Amino acid sequence: MDSQAELTQQTVDTLRFNTLKVFVVISITVSPPLLILYHQIGIPELVVALSGYFICSGVIFWRIKDAVSGHIIYSRIFLALTILLILYSHYLGSEEIDNKPWAVMIPILVLSLTGLREGLVWILGVIVTLVMIYSISPNSYNLFSISIQLAAMGTTTYVFYIFMKHYEKNLIKLSLLSQIDELTGTYNRRHFNKTYDAEFRRLTRNHGALSILMIDIDHFKEYNDMYGHQQGDDVLMAVAATLTKSARRAADSVYRYGGEEFCILLPEIDEESTSLFAQDLCQDVRELQISHQGVPLGQLSISVGYNHCQNAQRCTVKDLLKGADNALYAAKNKGRDQAVGAEELN
């Protein structure tokens, strides 16, 4: 699992999802006044088109108001509907009633909702279609007006492209700084708190399964005292890399819980597989063969405590974490370099 890549994608997806909600709300809000305006002007075709657009925007809002999943397809549907409405209004319009601000709005909508590369393709398609519409429209457009609109769209595209490029880059940096442990590259405690609550809610909602593993590097203080903090940092990075490599599934998440302690969340896994996974972690760290002359084993090791929940009605978010923590202390008390399950404490 690449935690940074996953978090980057989550950050961008959340940004675009929130932007979609804003644009959909705006479209629902401005549609009724425009309907009245088009009715007063006497363009029944646009009244019908805008009524359909208003209904579709309401459906999209209802579908996306509670969940991020599927927002990409809804973004494309919303964009297609909006652009079709704009193009249709241009086809029916004229110099007197033409809405030139739309030429500025299209790049902002597209680049915000689809991303930079896909957005440029959309905009290019819109420009080509606009030129075709101008040539077949029943009403007249002079060359100067067409040039102004296309120039406005091109300028806005360039400016907003640069803005979005830097904005997304900075947003991702801030997100990584707030949720990724700088030393080990794993998720940090803050992100664990958020993810753990979300995973437990999903467990409750879907009647699934969730396992949690608490991992501690054995005698790490002694290692720091003997070899120095620089080598201690190297050990933290090596252990974190091993844990991350072992957490192969996309849903598995590794966190630096604090100091030399790590945590792993394993959704949708049974108790036996959790036990085998925990034991394999101990073996994987042994195979690093990192020398630690301050302990009887002579090399670095870890202790693992794990807990499993199959039915959310039989455990709580606090009890699941507490059980794994108690199992970790039991593993230490038994001599370290081993994995202990919470069920063994009962």
Side-chain angles (χ1 to χ4, degrees), residues 145-266:
S145 176
I146 295 173
S147 301
I148 289 296
Q149 289 200 32
L150 295 181
M153 186 179 295
T155 303
T156 306
T157 298
Y158 175 75
V159 172
F160 202 71
Y161 177 89
I162 299 299
F163 169 79
M164 287 297 297
K165 183 177 181 180
H166 288 284
Y167 179 71
E168 288 187 3
K169 184 178 180 180
N170 291 334
L171 184 66
I172 289 169
K173 284 183 178 179
L174 288 173
S175 183
L176 290 175
L177 287 173
S178 67
Q179 301 187 69
I180 294 290
D181 179 66
E182 185 177 5
L183 177 64
T184 63
T186 61
Y187 291 123
N188 60 20
R189 177 73 173 271
R190 176 182 179 182
H191 191 60
F192 168 79
N193 293 335
K194 182 177 72 172
T195 306
Y196 180 51
D197 288 340
E199 285 291 347
F200 200 86
R201 287 195 300 270
R202 184 193 56 78
L203 163 69
T204 305
R205 183 173 61 252
N206 299 336
H207 306 289
L210 178 64
S211 292
I212 180 170
L213 293 82
M214 302 298 294
I215 301 121
D216 190 79
I217 301 177
D218 296 330
H219 303 291
F220 185 72
K221 182 180 183 303
E222 290 84 348
Y223 187 92
N224 264 340
D225 293 340
M226 178 172 291
Y227 296 97
H229 290 282
Q230 181 59 56
Q231 281 193 245
D233 288 347
D234 292 341
V235 162
L236 286 171
M237 290 187 287
V239 171
T242 299
L243 299 179
T244 302
K245 184 178 179 181
S246 299
R248 298 181 181 89
R249 302 182 308 164
D252 300 341
S253 305
V254 182
Y255 308 83
R256 187 180 180 189
Y257 198 72
E260 70 274 18
E261 193 170 3
F262 294 87
C263 177
I264 299 180
L265 291 179
L266 304 175

